[in-house]
Each structure stands twice: as C-alpha cells, then as structure tokens.
Amino acid sequence: MAMAFPSCGPPFGQEQPVTIPAPSRGPSEHPILKQWLILVLLATIVVATQIASLRAGHDWGDDFAQYIQQALNLAAGHPMLENGYIYNPSFPDLGPRAYPPGFPLLLTPVVKLAGVDLRAMKIIGIACFGLALLAIFRLLFPILPFGYCLATIAGLGFTPFLWGLKDSITSDIPFLCILYIALVMLQRCDTRHWLGTGPMVATGIVIYAGFAVRTAGGILLPALIVYLLLRFQGFRRIPRGAWIVLITAGSLTAIHLEATMRESLSYTDSVPRQSTAFFHAVHSNVMMYAWTLHYLFFPPWSSRFLSVSFCALLGGLCIWGYVSKLRSELTMLEIFAPFYLGVILVVPWGSGRYLIPLIPLGLMYIVCAIRSLPADGKWTIRTAATAAVAGGILGSCLTDFGATNFSPIKESFGNPDFMSVCAFLKHDTPPEAVVICKKPRLSTLVSGHRSSVYDPDASDKEQLKWFKDCGARYVLTSPAFPDDQRILKPFLERHRDLFRMTFRSGNFEIYQIDAG
C-alpha cells in the first residue's frame, strides 16, 4: 500500500532536508479572519447555551469528588495525593489511589476563591469544551473544506452525549482540549519541517500536559515515536526538532511517573493478567462501546431498525474514510487513532466517555469517505450520503434535546438524606474513624472522614479482613446503590453481632462496627 508523507525537515546531523511529497491540502492551510470569527461565534453559542442550561448538583459518580479533594489539597498547600481515600487493592476498578494533577490544578483557582462551588467547576469544563472546538477546527482545516469543518464542529458542539457532560465535573473535556491542541501543534511541526527550538519544546510540554490530565494521554508519546519511525524510515533520519519534542515530553513524563509511582501503578491493577480474562475484557468493551455509540451518541428513534442501520452507516463510512486517508497519506492522526482505541479496548474499567477523543476523528473520516463518493449530476451518491448523515445526526440531537432535564440533580450533594448521614459522621463520630461506603471519595469529601470501598466479589471472611485492615469503624449503606442492596445489606444481616445501626436518614443508614 503506497503512502505519502508530509514534507519533512533536515534529518539529525544533516543540513539539507529530505524531499518527500507534501500531503494534499485545502485551498489554504490557515483559516482567514472571517472563518475564525464564524467559528468563535459558533463556539461562543455552544458555551453560552451550556452555561445557561446548567443543572444544580452532581450525580453519584464519585470520581469528581476525588478531583475536588486533590484540588482542595493543592489550594491549602497540602500534599495533593493525600486525599482520604483508602485504596482497596482487591477492588481497583473503583479508581486509582489518586488521579494525575492536571485537572485538579485547573480546579484549584475555583477552590481557592469559592470553595466547593460545583457550578463554577462545571464552567471550567465548558470553557475547555469551547477551546477544544476551536482546536479541532484548526486541526481539520487543512484536511477538509471550510463548510465541512463548520458542519463537523456544529455536530460536535450539539452532540447529545458531549452536551450532557456539561453537568459533570470530569477530566474528559479538559483532556479533549489538551489532546487536540497537542495534535494541532504536531501538525504544525510537520508542516514547518520540525524547525525551531521554542515551538518544539512547547509541543513536548503540551504532549506531557495531556498525560498530566489523563493517564491515557500517555499513548500520544509512543504513537508519535511510531509515526516518526514510519515517516522518516528509521531513528537516524528523525530531525533534531522531533527529537526535542520527544525528549521534552519523555523527560517530563518520566519525572511525573517517578514522583507518583505508587499512584500511577494502581492504574495497572485492573488490567487482566490471564489471556481468557484479557479477551473477555476486550469483548466486553467492544460491545459496550458499540451500544454506547448507539444509545448515547445517536439515541434510538421509534424504529430500532432505522437507528441500527444509521449507526452501521456511520461505522462503515468511518472505516472507509480511515482506509482511504491511510492510502493517500499517513499523518499523526492515522497512528494515534488505532493506538488510543487499542488502549481503551484493553482496560477492563472501560466507559463510554473514553470514546470522546475519537469522536472528532470519526466524524472527520466520515466526511472524507463522503467526499470520495461520485459527485456527477444534480442528485448524486455524495449528496444522498451527506443528507442521510446530516439528517440522521440532526434528528437524533433534536430527539435527545426534546427529553432534556433541566431540574436540579437529586443525587450526591442534591440528596438531603445523604447529606444528613454525612453530617452525622462529621459531627457525631470520632474524626479518625474510617467509613466503608460504595462512594468512598464522595463520603470523604462531604464528611471529612477517611473512607474505603468493599469488594463486591469478596467472601465474608475476606470482607471482614479488609474492614479490619483498613481500620473501619462505620458502614454507610443505602438502596440508592444497587451493590449495597444486593451484597452489603445481606452481609450486614448475616453478621448482626458485629454491626449495629446507629443513625438513619431516609433510606441511608449508618452502622457502627462492634469493637469487640
């Protein structure tokens, strides 16, 4: 398969650049002022409407609580990694010992000025989404005509799943923003022949920043190495500027890993060690991501046949566009996409949110496939495909927005019974007492107590051993958490001599562990 590569700069140790055919470009490599103004206006509309429609409160997922706790530590000058969450090594799927510092650093100014202000923290994510849309536009502009770029950005800005993330304090959108800024900078390094020390150092720093926001961002560095090896056909021909990027990003990543080795290694605890478990995890993730695309990104309509057919059309066009792009030219994007997809397929704690960085590239490849279709005559296959894709996405967005809920979220901070039991823990129990809870990081943030989680698959003997090892004194349980109703509550009933209920608010209960 023949591949074309972007023009390159001088190899390491040589003065003259190697002549390699440049990739195909649009009429202009740089957007003009009018085009930028249109995109800025579109991004502003997206940001403004998201802020105007923010819901009060937050859902039960307690990843956000750990980010906030780490930001509180940074704001107070305390060690960031001491977050009160007691990691249970037998149940690593809940989350690592601590998250990377990038997102907590973004939240620190808000925490320092306003405390735990959920709305202000959500606005940080929304602002990052607006910047991400601009970065994605800049990345796509040399590849697609302006009209297609504009339609792609509009689709991303109002995609139901991405829109719904405005009500979550999550690292997904900041990571999307940093990642695409890094890809834009790498694209410019390539077109500028990897010349200039300053831009190369800056690019390396931004690549590391992606890793500092989300550990999966570390895949960008090995993907870049593979791209450079294919691009320049060996290490010796890689330009000096590219080496500066690699050394800068690699050095910062190594320093980061050295400083947070214990926390970083906890990410690997859930990775399957046996081949059967590995293939089971991959199969489960494939099915989960397929249904995520079906139900979240493009919600089903009244006809399942139409919705499944529409998703199959998008998937087929995406693969076709990727292969066509790969045959015409190999860029960093064609290396990054399969690398990142491979990572999220392997991890057993896969979530639909992990697909977010691939959505812009998927839409780009869909457009590339559509543009390769015949366009002769008034009604063409290209016109039909464009109408089907645009109409389908627009219809799914309107269907989902029609069911949008703007009322306050009644979970976590919005649940008065949960807040009541946390107040009891905070004011009426010893401050050093450890709490077992399905949402330990949220419990720690609200009650101030160190907390841990139980292993849903552990035997009674193993459960009791962990309670003793982590120094647990109290158990918080509620039917609001399905595992509590299915596992924890029956466990407490079987050991009534060890657990005594001391407080109840609504369907939330606190049990004290008998010291005897």
Side-chain angles (χ1 to χ4, degrees):
M1 180 172 61
M3 296 182 186
F5 295 88
S7 59
C8 63
F12 184 74
Q14 297 185 22
E15 296 297 328
Q16 297 299 323
V18 177
T19 302
I20 298 178
S24 57
R25 299 286 179 189
S28 172
E29 186 180 328
H30 303 285
I32 61 175
L33 178 60
K34 180 180 178 180
Q35 292 168 330
W36 270 121
L37 290 176
I38 293 173
L39 258 296
V40 169
L41 176 61
L42 175 60
T44 301
I45 292 172
V46 172
V47 168
T49 51
Q50 288 196 353
I51 293 176
S53 61
L54 275 176
R55 301 172 66 192
H58 205 286
D59 60 27
W60 283 121
D62 68 340
D63 287 354
F64 80 98
Q66 189 165 348
Y67 286 123
I68 294 174
Q69 186 61 61
Q70 291 181 203
L72 286 168
N73 289 350
L74 289 169
H78 299 152
M80 185 195 71
L81 303 180
E82 295 179 6
N83 50 47
Y85 166 48
I86 302 175
Y87 178 75
N88 186 346
S90 67
F91 187 56
D93 289 2
L94 179 70
R97 297 179 187 273
Y99 285 115
F103 187 46
L105 280 170
L106 282 176
L107 298 179
T108 299
V110 172
V111 167
K112 209 169 184 65
L113 294 173
V116 183
D117 186 330
L118 299 182
R119 180 180 174 83
M121 294 179 189
K122 292 176 184 179
I123 291 175
I124 293 289
I126 292 173
C128 287
F129 188 46
L131 291 175
L133 293 178
L134 298 180
I136 293 166
F137 164 71
R138 184 63 187 84
L139 183 75
L140 299 185
F141 186 82
I143 302 170
L144 303 176
F146 175 71
Y148 283 101
C149 288
L150 186 64
T152 301
I153 299 304
L156 289 171
F158 294 100
T159 295
F161 182 61
L162 295 179
W163 181 271
L165 288 176
K166 67 183 173 60
D167 291 308
S168 297
I169 299 169
T170 172
S171 64
D172 295 284
I173 298 304
F175 174 61
L176 178 74
C177 179
I178 297 295
L179 173 65
Y180 276 85
I181 290 175
L183 290 173
V184 168
M185 294 178 76
L186 286 170
Q187 184 186 65
R188 290 176 66 84
C189 287
D190 228 354
T191 57
R192 294 184 176 185
H193 313 306
W194 302 91
L195 297 175
T197 301
M200 300 304 113
V201 171
T203 302
I205 292 173
V206 175
I207 290 173
Y208 160 71
F211 174 73
V213 171
R214 168 160 282 179
T215 303
I219 199 64
L220 191 57
L221 189 56
L224 176 60
I225 293 173
V226 171
Y227 169 67
L228 290 172
L229 287 173
L230 293 173
R231 166 84 168 78
F232 297 103
Q233 303 177 358
F235 279 109
R236 294 179 61 84
R237 295 172 63 84
I238 294 177
R240 180 171 55 254
W243 280 112
I244 293 174
V245 173
L246 293 175
I247 292 171
T248 302
S251 299
L252 292 173
T253 302
I255 293 170
H256 176 117
L257 290 173
E258 177 66 24
T260 63
M261 182 61 69
R262 182 168 173 265
E263 289 71 23
S264 298
L265 286 176
S266 65
Y267 275 100
T268 66
D269 291 348
S270 295
V271 178
R273 302 296 194 271
Q274 299 177 344
S275 59
T276 53
F278 175 83
F279 287 114
H280 174 73
V282 173
H283 177 265
S284 298
N285 281 339
V286 168
M287 299 303 297
M288 183 270 295
Y289 289 130
W291 285 109
T292 295
L293 290 170
H294 181 215
Y295 283 109
L296 294 181
F297 295 108
F298 305 105
W301 310 306
S302 56
S303 169
R304 173 170 291 189
F305 172 78
L306 288 177
S307 62
V308 171
S309 300
F310 177 63
C311 289
L313 170 65
L314 293 180
L317 288 173
C318 182
I319 295 172
W320 181 5
Y322 176 83
V323 173
S324 299
K325 187 83 162 41
L326 195 63
R327 290 177 64 88
S328 63
E329 60 173 330
L330 179 68
T331 70
M332 180 65 192
L333 304 182
E334 282 67 63
I335 301 297
F336 169 76
F339 265 61
Y340 181 83
L341 181 61
V343 168
I344 65 173
L345 285 177
V346 169
V347 295
W349 60 85
S351 166
R353 296 179 291 111
Y354 295 167
L355 282 174
I356 291 173
L358 294 179
I359 298 176
L361 297 181
L363 290 177
M364 180 194 75
Y365 291 125
I366 289 171
V367 172
C368 287
I370 290 174
R371 294 189 66 221
S372 69
L373 295 172
D376 297 329
K378 184 177 180 181
W379 297 103
T380 64
I381 297 177
R382 182 187 296 184
T383 303
T386 301
V389 171
I393 293 178
L394 179 61
S396 66
C397 289
L398 293 176
T399 300
D400 195 67
F401 282 126
T404 300
N405 186 353
F406 297 102
S407 61
I409 300 171
K410 300 298 185 181
E411 300 176 359
S412 64
F413 284 87
N415 188 297
D417 294 325
F418 173 75
M419 298 301 288
S420 178
V421 296
C422 286
F424 168 79
L425 290 171
K426 184 172 185 176
H427 300 294
D428 298 292
T429 62
E432 71 279 3
V434 174
V435 180
I436 296 293
C437 176
K438 184 62 180 177
K439 304 294 179 182
R441 298 168 292 185
L442 179 59
S443 169
T444 294
L445 178 65
V446 180
S447 72
H449 281 278
R450 297 170 65 218
S451 304
S452 187
V453 68
Y454 60 92
D455 180 1
D457 297 322
S459 66
D460 283 14
K461 182 178 179 180
E462 292 169 332
Q463 212 76 271
L464 291 170
K465 183 178 184 303
W466 174 246
F467 284 21
K468 181 179 179 180
D469 290 346
C470 73
R473 291 281 303 279
Y474 294 91
V475 177
L476 190 163
T477 180
S478 171
F481 312 129
D483 279 352
D484 280 11
Q485 194 74 352
R486 182 174 58 90
I487 296 169
L488 184 59
K489 197 63 183 293
F491 166 77
L492 297 175
E493 292 291 333
R494 290 194 299 269
H495 299 278
R496 293 183 182 179
D497 56 323
L498 298 178
F499 301 94
R500 175 172 54 88
M501 190 176 69
T502 59
F503 186 80
R504 172 187 290 166
S505 180
N507 59 6
F508 285 82
E509 298 173 342
I510 298 291
Y511 286 81
Q512 184 174 356
I513 301 176
D514 190 342

